[in-house]
Amino acid sequence: MDAALDGAVRVFCERGYHATSIGDLTAAMRLATGSVYKAFRDKHAVFLAAFERYVAVRGEQTRSAAARGANGREQLRNVLLSYLEHSQGSEGRRGCIVVGSAVELSAVDPVIRTRVTAQLRSNETFIAGLIREGQADGSIPGHIDADDTARLMICLTQGLRVAGKARLPLDGERLVGVAMKLLA
């Protein structure tokens, strides 16, 4: 099932919800049309399952990147570098299902809006936690407002995903260096 959902994630990230047909999904998921409908009912249900799969996989990648840091500052830097990595090349051009959903569906689909909002808040809470860890271990100054800075970091990370989709060049080290100045 994970492999099938990974195929659906790829198509939804590349094309968006409305431009993706059931035929696109069956090809990407390597399932017959009847099997897709039997497992998921409709395209919206496939999308919700693909969204959850994407969030789980990216969440693990982000936590893994953070875990490689020795302190809160390094953990946050690693998270930003991970976002940059996933915003470049073929993955960057493919796009992010959370950003795509926020732009394409949030205004018209309350179920998706709730999921997008919850995911962005979860990411923001994670980043605020890293900032607080850095404050506790001395790697981030105590005067930094963790919540406001985390919100700004979410704007930055999601903007990186938009820039990647638009194929803008991203000088990762330089951009992360500028972002880390917010923690001075």
Side-chain angles (χ1 to χ4, degrees):
M1 186 56 72
D2 286 347
L5 286 174
D6 290 341
V9 165
R10 189 178 62 257
V11 172
F12 282 128
C13 285
E14 289 171 356
R15 299 180 184 194
Y17 179 81
H18 293 297
T20 298
S21 69
I22 289 294
D24 297 329
L25 290 171
T26 59
M29 297 172 81
R30 296 188 173 135
L31 296 172
T33 303
S35 297
V36 171
Y37 282 117
K38 187 175 183 178
F40 297 102
R41 290 186 332 270
D42 58 19
K43 182 171 101 169
H44 194 264
V46 175
F47 184 81
L48 291 174
F51 186 97
E52 294 306 316
R53 171 73 178 156
Y54 179 88
V55 164
V57 169
R58 283 291 298 130
E60 181 53 39
Q61 291 168 337
T62 301
R63 287 186 299 279
S64 177
R68 291 189 298 270
N71 57 44
R73 183 179 196 83
E74 287 180 15
Q75 290 173 350
L76 182 53
R77 184 174 191 285
N78 289 345
V79 166
L80 294 176
L81 287 170
S82 175
Y83 268 95
L84 267 160
E85 176 186 333
H86 293 283
S87 298
Q88 298 181 77
S90 61
E91 186 178 354
R93 288 187 301 276
R94 185 175 307 121
C96 168
I97 202 168
V98 176
V99 171
S101 300
V103 173
E104 182 182 13
L105 299 171
S106 284
V108 296
D109 187 326
V111 172
I112 299 300
R113 179 177 48 248
T114 299
R115 301 252 175 122
V116 167
T117 300
Q119 186 54 45
L120 292 174
R121 285 191 177 141
S122 174
N123 292 352
E124 185 177 321
T125 299
F126 180 72
I127 290 172
L130 295 178
I131 293 169
R132 287 186 179 92
E133 275 187 52
Q135 290 172 323
D137 66 32
S139 64
I140 296 174
H143 72 273
I144 300 295
D145 185 297
D147 294 326
D148 288 346
T149 305
R151 174 66 52 95
L152 188 57
M153 292 287 184
I154 287 300
C155 294
L156 172 69
T157 58
Q158 301 314 293
L160 289 171
R161 298 311 309 259
V162 171
K165 181 79 170 176
R167 299 176 180 182
L168 294 176
L170 299 170
D171 181 343
E173 287 294 327
R174 191 177 55 124
L175 291 175
V176 169
V178 171
M180 294 307 289
K181 288 179 183 177
L182 295 170
L183 304 173

